[in-house]
PDB file of all heavy atoms in Angstrom:
ATOM      1  N   GLN S  72     -87.029  16.667  -8.270  1.00 92.00           N
ATOM      2  CA  GLN S  72     -88.349  16.067  -8.094  1.00 92.00           C
ATOM      3  C   GLN S  72     -88.336  14.950  -7.058  1.00 92.00           C
ATOM      4  O   GLN S  72     -89.260  14.829  -6.260  1.00 92.00           O
ATOM      5  CB  GLN S  72     -88.844  15.528  -9.434  1.00 92.00           C
ATOM      6  CG  GLN S  72     -90.240  14.955  -9.391  1.00 92.00           C
ATOM      7  CD  GLN S  72     -90.660  14.441 -10.744  1.00 92.00           C
ATOM      8  OE1 GLN S  72     -89.881  14.383 -11.667  1.00 92.00           O
ATOM      9  NE2 GLN S  72     -91.921  14.057 -10.852  1.00 92.00           N
ATOM     10  N   SER S  73     -87.284  14.138  -7.031  1.00 90.00           N
ATOM     11  CA  SER S  73     -87.264  12.977  -6.146  1.00 90.00           C
ATOM     12  C   SER S  73     -86.558  13.231  -4.816  1.00 90.00           C
ATOM     13  O   SER S  73     -86.584  12.367  -3.939  1.00 90.00           O
ATOM     14  CB  SER S  73     -86.589  11.812  -6.845  1.00 90.00           C
ATOM     15  OG  SER S  73     -85.243  12.121  -7.107  1.00 90.00           O
ATOM     16  N   LYS S  74     -85.905  14.387  -4.671  1.00 89.00           N
ATOM     17  CA  LYS S  74     -85.177  14.743  -3.447  1.00 89.00           C
ATOM     18  C   LYS S  74     -84.058  13.742  -3.124  1.00 89.00           C
ATOM     19  O   LYS S  74     -83.793  13.426  -1.977  1.00 89.00           O
ATOM     20  CB  LYS S  74     -86.136  14.836  -2.254  1.00 89.00           C
ATOM     21  CG  LYS S  74     -87.298  15.762  -2.442  1.00 89.00           C
ATOM     22  CD  LYS S  74     -86.856  17.198  -2.537  1.00 89.00           C
ATOM     23  CE  LYS S  74     -88.079  18.094  -2.529  1.00 89.00           C
ATOM     24  NZ  LYS S  74     -88.127  19.022  -3.601  1.00 89.00           N
ATOM     25  N   ILE S  75     -83.417  13.221  -4.167  1.00 89.00           N
ATOM     26  CA  ILE S  75     -82.265  12.337  -4.008  1.00 89.00           C
ATOM     27  C   ILE S  75     -81.025  13.145  -4.379  1.00 89.00           C
ATOM     28  O   ILE S  75     -81.065  13.979  -5.270  1.00 89.00           O
ATOM     29  CB  ILE S  75     -82.393  11.104  -4.924  1.00 89.00           C
ATOM     30  CG1 ILE S  75     -83.637  10.307  -4.569  1.00 89.00           C
ATOM     31  CG2 ILE S  75     -81.168  10.224  -4.826  1.00 89.00           C
ATOM     32  CD1 ILE S  75     -83.905   9.148  -5.507  1.00 89.00           C
ATOM     33  N   SER S  76     -79.907  12.876  -3.717  1.00 90.00           N
ATOM     34  CA  SER S  76     -78.698  13.648  -3.990  1.00 90.00           C
ATOM     35  C   SER S  76     -78.120  13.301  -5.368  1.00 90.00           C
ATOM     36  O   SER S  76     -78.284  12.186  -5.862  1.00 90.00           O
ATOM     37  CB  SER S  76     -77.652  13.388  -2.912  1.00 90.00           C
ATOM     38  OG  SER S  76     -77.123  12.087  -3.041  1.00 90.00           O
ATOM     39  N   LYS S  77     -77.433  14.276  -5.947  1.00 89.00           N
ATOM     40  CA  LYS S  77     -76.792  14.053  -7.245  1.00 89.00           C
ATOM     41  C   LYS S  77     -75.719  12.978  -7.150  1.00 89.00           C
ATOM     42  O   LYS S  77     -75.509  12.218  -8.092  1.00 89.00           O
ATOM     43  CB  LYS S  77     -76.164  15.350  -7.762  1.00 89.00           C
ATOM     44  CG  LYS S  77     -77.105  16.291  -8.406  1.00 89.00           C
ATOM     45  CD  LYS S  77     -76.347  17.456  -9.024  1.00 89.00           C
ATOM     46  CE  LYS S  77     -77.296  18.408  -9.688  1.00 89.00           C
ATOM     47  NZ  LYS S  77     -76.613  19.526 -10.328  1.00 89.00           N
ATOM     48  N   THR S  78     -75.050  12.926  -6.026  1.00 90.00           N
ATOM     49  CA  THR S  78     -74.003  11.921  -5.837  1.00 90.00           C
ATOM     50  C   THR S  78     -74.589  10.516  -5.907  1.00 90.00           C
ATOM     51  O   THR S  78     -74.045   9.639  -6.586  1.00 90.00           O
ATOM     52  CB  THR S  78     -73.313  12.124  -4.476  1.00 90.00           C
ATOM     53  OG1 THR S  78     -72.825  13.453  -4.412  1.00 90.00           O
ATOM     54  CG2 THR S  78     -72.181  11.147  -4.290  1.00 90.00           C
ATOM     55  N   PHE S  79     -75.720  10.292  -5.243  1.00 91.00           N
ATOM     56  CA  PHE S  79     -76.363   8.981  -5.271  1.00 91.00           C
ATOM     57  C   PHE S  79     -76.816   8.634  -6.684  1.00 91.00           C
ATOM     58  O   PHE S  79     -76.641   7.499  -7.139  1.00 91.00           O
ATOM     59  CB  PHE S  79     -77.551   8.951  -4.311  1.00 91.00           C
ATOM     60  CG  PHE S  79     -78.254   7.627  -4.273  1.00 91.00           C
ATOM     61  CD1 PHE S  79     -77.719   6.574  -3.567  1.00 91.00           C
ATOM     62  CD2 PHE S  79     -79.452   7.439  -4.960  1.00 91.00           C
ATOM     63  CE1 PHE S  79     -78.352   5.345  -3.536  1.00 91.00           C
ATOM     64  CE2 PHE S  79     -80.091   6.228  -4.936  1.00 91.00           C
ATOM     65  CZ  PHE S  79     -79.542   5.170  -4.219  1.00 91.00           C
ATOM     66  N   VAL S  80     -77.371   9.598  -7.380  1.00 89.00           N
ATOM     67  CA  VAL S  80     -77.822   9.357  -8.753  1.00 89.00           C
ATOM     68  C   VAL S  80     -76.632   9.002  -9.637  1.00 89.00           C
ATOM     69  O   VAL S  80     -76.694   8.068 -10.441  1.00 89.00           O
ATOM     70  CB  VAL S  80     -78.584  10.586  -9.301  1.00 89.00           C
ATOM     71  CG1 VAL S  80     -78.866  10.433 -10.780  1.00 89.00           C
ATOM     72  CG2 VAL S  80     -79.885  10.774  -8.547  1.00 89.00           C
ATOM     73  N   GLY S  81     -75.530   9.738  -9.479  1.00 86.00           N
ATOM     74  CA  GLY S  81     -74.362   9.492 -10.326  1.00 86.00           C
ATOM     75  C   GLY S  81     -73.655   8.191 -10.023  1.00 86.00           C
ATOM     76  O   GLY S  81     -73.126   7.537 -10.920  1.00 86.00           O
ATOM     77  N   ILE S  82     -73.628   7.804  -8.754  1.00 90.00           N
ATOM     78  CA  ILE S  82     -72.874   6.609  -8.368  1.00 90.00           C
ATOM     79  C   ILE S  82     -73.718   5.345  -8.428  1.00 90.00           C
ATOM     80  O   ILE S  82     -73.209   4.276  -8.761  1.00 90.00           O
ATOM     81  CB  ILE S  82     -72.270   6.795  -6.958  1.00 90.00           C
ATOM     82  CG1 ILE S  82     -71.205   7.881  -7.001  1.00 90.00           C
ATOM     83  CG2 ILE S  82     -71.676   5.502  -6.428  1.00 90.00           C
ATOM     84  CD1 ILE S  82     -70.631   8.232  -5.650  1.00 90.00           C
ATOM     85  N   VAL S  83     -75.013   5.434  -8.137  1.00 90.00           N
ATOM     86  CA  VAL S  83     -75.847   4.238  -8.046  1.00 90.00           C
ATOM     87  C   VAL S  83     -76.853   4.130  -9.190  1.00 90.00           C
ATOM     88  O   VAL S  83     -76.898   3.123  -9.898  1.00 90.00           O
ATOM     89  CB  VAL S  83     -76.573   4.199  -6.678  1.00 90.00           C
ATOM     90  CG1 VAL S  83     -77.510   3.019  -6.595  1.00 90.00           C
ATOM     91  CG2 VAL S  83     -75.560   4.162  -5.550  1.00 90.00           C
ATOM     92  N   VAL S  84     -77.659   5.160  -9.390  1.00 88.00           N
ATOM     93  CA  VAL S  84     -78.782   5.060 -10.336  1.00 88.00           C
ATOM     94  C   VAL S  84     -78.297   4.976 -11.781  1.00 88.00           C
ATOM     95  O   VAL S  84     -78.748   4.115 -12.543  1.00 88.00           O
ATOM     96  CB  VAL S  84     -79.757   6.241 -10.139  1.00 88.00           C
ATOM     97  CG1 VAL S  84     -80.860   6.197 -11.176  1.00 88.00           C
ATOM     98  CG2 VAL S  84     -80.347   6.210  -8.740  1.00 88.00           C
ATOM     99  N   LEU S  85     -77.387   5.858 -12.193  1.00 86.00           N
ATOM    100  CA  LEU S  85     -76.919   5.840 -13.581  1.00 86.00           C
ATOM    101  C   LEU S  85     -76.252   4.522 -13.987  1.00 86.00           C
ATOM    102  O   LEU S  85     -76.547   3.991 -15.057  1.00 86.00           O
ATOM    103  CB  LEU S  85     -75.988   7.022 -13.849  1.00 86.00           C
ATOM    104  CG  LEU S  85     -76.667   8.346 -14.107  1.00 86.00           C
ATOM    105  CD1 LEU S  85     -75.634   9.434 -14.329  1.00 86.00           C
ATOM    106  CD2 LEU S  85     -77.609   8.277 -15.270  1.00 86.00           C
ATOM    107  N   PRO S  86     -75.372   3.952 -13.163  1.00 88.00           N
ATOM    108  CA  PRO S  86     -74.816   2.650 -13.555  1.00 88.00           C
ATOM    109  C   PRO S  86     -75.867   1.547 -13.652  1.00 88.00           C
ATOM    110  O   PRO S  86     -75.790   0.689 -14.531  1.00 88.00           O
ATOM    111  CB  PRO S  86     -73.803   2.343 -12.448  1.00 88.00           C
ATOM    112  CG  PRO S  86     -73.405   3.666 -11.926  1.00 88.00           C
ATOM    113  CD  PRO S  86     -74.639   4.505 -12.018  1.00 88.00           C
ATOM    114  N   ILE S  87     -76.867   1.568 -12.767  1.00 91.00           N
ATOM    115  CA  ILE S  87     -77.922   0.555 -12.841  1.00 91.00           C
ATOM    116  C   ILE S  87     -78.710   0.712 -14.125  1.00 91.00           C
ATOM    117  O   ILE S  87     -79.001  -0.267 -14.819  1.00 91.00           O
ATOM    118  CB  ILE S  87     -78.837   0.642 -11.602  1.00 91.00           C
ATOM    119  CG1 ILE S  87     -78.082   0.161 -10.375  1.00 91.00           C
ATOM    120  CG2 ILE S  87     -80.102  -0.169 -11.799  1.00 91.00           C
ATOM    121  CD1 ILE S  87     -78.825   0.353  -9.071  1.00 91.00           C
ATOM    122  N   VAL S  88     -79.060   1.949 -14.474  1.00 85.00           N
ATOM    123  CA  VAL S  88     -79.800   2.194 -15.719  1.00 85.00           C
ATOM    124  C   VAL S  88     -78.956   1.788 -16.921  1.00 85.00           C
ATOM    125  O   VAL S  88     -79.448   1.134 -17.854  1.00 85.00           O
ATOM    126  CB  VAL S  88     -80.226   3.679 -15.805  1.00 85.00           C
ATOM    127  CG1 VAL S  88     -80.769   4.009 -17.182  1.00 85.00           C
ATOM    128  CG2 VAL S  88     -81.256   3.992 -14.743  1.00 85.00           C
ATOM    129  N   GLY S  89     -77.679   2.153 -16.908  1.00 82.00           N
ATOM    130  CA  GLY S  89     -76.800   1.792 -18.021  1.00 82.00           C
ATOM    131  C   GLY S  89     -76.668   0.288 -18.185  1.00 82.00           C
ATOM    132  O   GLY S  89     -76.717  -0.234 -19.301  1.00 82.00           O
ATOM    133  N   ASN S  90     -76.501  -0.430 -17.081  1.00 88.00           N
ATOM    134  CA  ASN S  90     -76.392  -1.882 -17.159  1.00 88.00           C
ATOM    135  C   ASN S  90     -77.703  -2.527 -17.595  1.00 88.00           C
ATOM    136  O   ASN S  90     -77.697  -3.508 -18.348  1.00 88.00           O
ATOM    137  CB  ASN S  90     -75.944  -2.469 -15.814  1.00 88.00           C
ATOM    138  CG  ASN S  90     -74.476  -2.261 -15.579  1.00 88.00           C
ATOM    139  OD1 ASN S  90     -73.712  -2.108 -16.514  1.00 88.00           O
ATOM    140  ND2 ASN S  90     -74.084  -2.266 -14.319  1.00 88.00           N
ATOM    141  N   ALA S  91     -78.836  -1.982 -17.135  1.00 89.00           N
ATOM    142  CA  ALA S  91     -80.124  -2.528 -17.538  1.00 89.00           C
ATOM    143  C   ALA S  91     -80.312  -2.398 -19.044  1.00 89.00           C
ATOM    144  O   ALA S  91     -80.734  -3.350 -19.718  1.00 89.00           O
ATOM    145  CB  ALA S  91     -81.251  -1.819 -16.782  1.00 89.00           C
ATOM    146  N   VAL S  92     -79.974  -1.247 -19.586  1.00 80.00           N
ATOM    147  CA  VAL S  92     -80.101  -1.050 -21.033  1.00 80.00           C
ATOM    148  C   VAL S  92     -79.165  -1.977 -21.790  1.00 80.00           C
ATOM    149  O   VAL S  92     -79.530  -2.561 -22.806  1.00 80.00           O
ATOM    150  CB  VAL S  92     -79.838   0.436 -21.387  1.00 80.00           C
ATOM    151  CG1 VAL S  92     -79.728   0.627 -22.885  1.00 80.00           C
ATOM    152  CG2 VAL S  92     -80.928   1.322 -20.817  1.00 80.00           C
TER     153      VAL S  92
END
Side-chain angles (χ1 to χ4, degrees):
Q72 183 180 8
S73 64
K74 305 293 188 232
I75 299 175
S76 71
K77 279 187 180 182
T78 304
F79 181 78
V80 171
I82 293 175
V83 176
V84 176
L85 280 179
I87 290 173
V88 170
N90 284 336
V92 170

